[in-house]
Amino acid sequence: EVQVVESGGGLVQPGGSLRLSCEGSGFTFSRYAMSWVRLAPGKGPESVAAISGSGGITHLADSVKGRFTLSRDNSKNIVYLQMSRLRVDDTAVYYCAKGQLSGSGSRPDYWGQGALVTVS
Amino acid sequence: DIQMTQSPSTLSASVGDRVTITCRASQNINTWLAWYQQRPGKAPKLLISEASNLESGVPSRFSGSGSGTEFTLTISSLQPDDFVTYYCQQYNSDLYTFGQGTKLEIK
């Protein structure tokens, strides 16, 4: 069974940092892209970052470029979203998603349960 | 980035009505478009992929069409459970993007 599980959410002050982790299981992790989507209160989904299966290609939304970085450790089946210089408007539930294919733009087909990040 | 524009942002309708939601891409995305249903506090649920492929388990009252830059989601006969928010999503670029959403309200 495919599973995607986020961890690392919490409360942080503006300007602070936080690292989200996402562990995948039930599939060959290195063959699939992974991405992060956030849902802010009262807003629609925003794709924040995506990384190819090999980890060689990453893409970040303009709203987080220069502040967030994305990496993966295929030996541990984990993808990391390092968030720095956090702002109040980064407050959201962050979902990790497995891609349908290995390319970074691959449509998500499995989602985690979400990790709440509150910047206040 | 490819911008996705949905309309309308809010749609008032009654149970049994047929409704259509439109999504327009800022550039050609072929049929690399998905439609999601979202309930408060939950991850989006995939309804349709590749513009018109109904996902397993999704009721047949949902259908999608379009290609290039113009797409539609149609619900043929609204049920009480359908009055939530819908999003389109393109996945023809390095980072997929969503439309701003259409909220279905009971008239």
Side-chain angles (χ1 to χ4, degrees):
Chain A
E1 179 191 6
V2 173
Q3 286 196 318
V4 176
V5 179
E6 305 95 336
S7 60
L11 174 64
V12 61
Q13 293 183 339
S17 299
L18 204 61
R19 188 178 79 166
L20 299 180
S21 300
C22 171
E23 183 173 3
S25 60
F27 60 101
T28 304
F29 191 76
S30 62
R31 291 185 180 177
Y32 297 95
M34 300 295 291
S35 59
W36 290 90
V37 175
R38 66 184 181 185
L39 284 173
K43 294 187 177 180
E46 179 187 12
S47 55
V48 171
I51 187 167
S52 62
S54 67
I57 298 173
T58 60
H59 292 280
L60 298 167
D62 288 343
S63 58
V64 304
K65 276 180 185 174
R67 301 188 299 121
F68 290 14
T69 57
L70 186 61
S71 62
R72 65 190 293 161
D73 184 340
N74 286 342
S75 68
K76 297 180 179 179
N77 289 4
I78 297 179
V79 60
Y80 301 101
L81 183 67
Q82 178 66 49
M83 304 183 292
S84 304
R85 293 159 49 199
L86 281 160
R87 309 187 304 219
V88 172
D89 62 358
D90 292 319
T91 295
V93 177
Y94 285 72
Y95 291 93
C96 178
K98 168 191 170 293
Q100 198 183 20
L101 302 168
S102 63
S104 63
S106 175
R107 176 180 66 75
D109 58 3
Y110 287 90
W111 299 67
Q113 80 287 354
L116 176 62
V117 173
T118 304
V119 186
S120 177
Chain B
D1 292 356
I2 299 176
Q3 307 301 319
M4 305 301 293
T5 304
Q6 264 182 259
S7 60
S9 56
T10 305
L11 183 53
S12 295
S14 301
V15 173
D17 282 355
R18 177 186 179 92
V19 297
T20 297
I21 300 169
T22 299
C23 184
R24 180 176 292 113
S26 59
Q27 63 190 71
N28 182 10
I29 59 169
N30 297 298
T31 56
W32 301 118
L33 182 108
W35 289 98
Y36 290 84
Q37 179 188 69
Q38 201 220 334
R39 301 182 184 280
K42 301 291 186 182
K45 174 188 174 183
L46 180 65
L47 301 175
I48 288 170
S49 61
E50 272 98 81
S52 61
N53 292 344
L54 193 67
E55 291 297 300
S56 175
V58 175
S60 58
R61 64 180 180 273
F62 292 91
S63 64
S65 66
S67 65
T69 61
E70 296 276 340
F71 302 87
T72 60
L73 171 70
T74 299
I75 309 174
S76 60
S77 178
L78 281 170
Q79 300 302 301
D81 196 45
D82 299 338
F83 289 89
V84 289
T85 303
Y86 295 85
Y87 296 93
C88 61
Q89 175 207 49
Q90 67 78 22
Y91 48 103
N92 190 54
S93 63
D94 295 325
L95 187 63
Y96 54 82
T97 52
F98 293 88
Q100 73 270 40
T102 296
K103 184 176 181 180
L104 272 182
E105 296 183 337
I106 297 177
K107 187 184 289 183

